[in-house]
Amino acid sequence: MSTHAPNEARVIPLRPHTSPPGSGGATRAPQRPAAAPQTPAPREPLWRDLVGDVLRRERLAQERTLKDVAESARISMPYLSELERGRKEASSEVLAAAAQALGLGLADLLSLAQGELARHARSRVGRGRTSPTAQYDGLCLAA
C-alpha cells in the first residue's frame, strides 16, 4: 500500500542525498528554483482551416446554402461542410470546383487564404515573435 496521496506523483531522486562534510547527516541537494510556467506559443493555423474559413465566408456572403454550393460544385454536402470546418484536406480539383461554384477561380480562393495566413503571421510578429517570412510581407505574390 502506498503512503502518498492518490493524485500526487511520487518523486524518486536521481542522485543520492548528500551531506556537507563533517555534518554526519544526510541533507537534500539544493533545489533549483522552479521555472516560471510558459504559456504555449499560439498554434499556427492549418492551411485546411484557412481555406475552409474562406469557403464558408464566401458562401455566407452570397447567402447561399451548403446544398446549393455542393450541388453546383458536384461534391457532397457533408464533404463541403467538412471542408468548411477544416476537417478534410481537399484535392486541388475539389478546391477548384468549390471555388468555381462560388464564382471564384482557384487562384482567388488560395490568394484569400494566403491573405489570412499573412495576417496571422503579422499578428505573431506584433506580439514579439519573429517570422522567417516577415521580410516578404510587402511583396505581391500574384502574377
Side-chain angles (χ1 to χ4, degrees):
M1 184 167 184
S2 175
T3 60
H4 64 279
N7 290 330
E8 292 181 20
R10 197 170 98 194
V11 177
I12 301 172
L14 297 177
R15 294 189 181 112
H17 294 280
T18 59
S19 60
S23 71
T27 60
R28 296 188 113 181
Q31 293 191 1
R32 295 182 202 152
Q38 295 179 356
T39 53
R43 184 177 68 91
E44 286 284 339
L46 297 176
W47 185 248
R48 67 179 185 234
D49 290 329
L50 297 170
V51 170
D53 289 344
V54 170
L55 288 171
R56 174 170 280 155
R57 191 171 49 247
E58 289 297 316
R59 179 179 61 79
L60 294 175
Q62 295 176 20
E63 298 180 353
R64 294 177 65 190
T65 64
L66 271 170
K67 182 179 180 184
D68 176 42
V69 175
E71 286 176 355
S72 181
R74 302 182 84 175
I75 58 179
S76 75
M77 190 174 64
Y79 188 68
L80 178 59
S81 175
E82 295 222 329
L83 291 178
E84 286 187 355
R85 290 181 289 139
R87 304 283 175 117
K88 296 286 184 182
E89 293 276 358
S91 68
S92 58
E93 291 87 358
V94 169
L95 289 178
Q100 186 176 7
L102 292 166
L104 301 170
L106 180 58
D108 299 324
L109 174 66
L110 299 181
S111 179
L112 289 168
Q114 187 273 335
E116 291 295 316
L117 186 59
R119 271 190 285 289
H120 177 78
R122 281 192 296 275
S123 73
R124 288 190 67 194
V125 170
R127 290 190 303 254
R129 300 203 182 269
T130 57
S131 167
T133 59
Q135 59 189 343
Y136 302 113
D137 278 347
L139 296 179
C140 177
L141 299 177

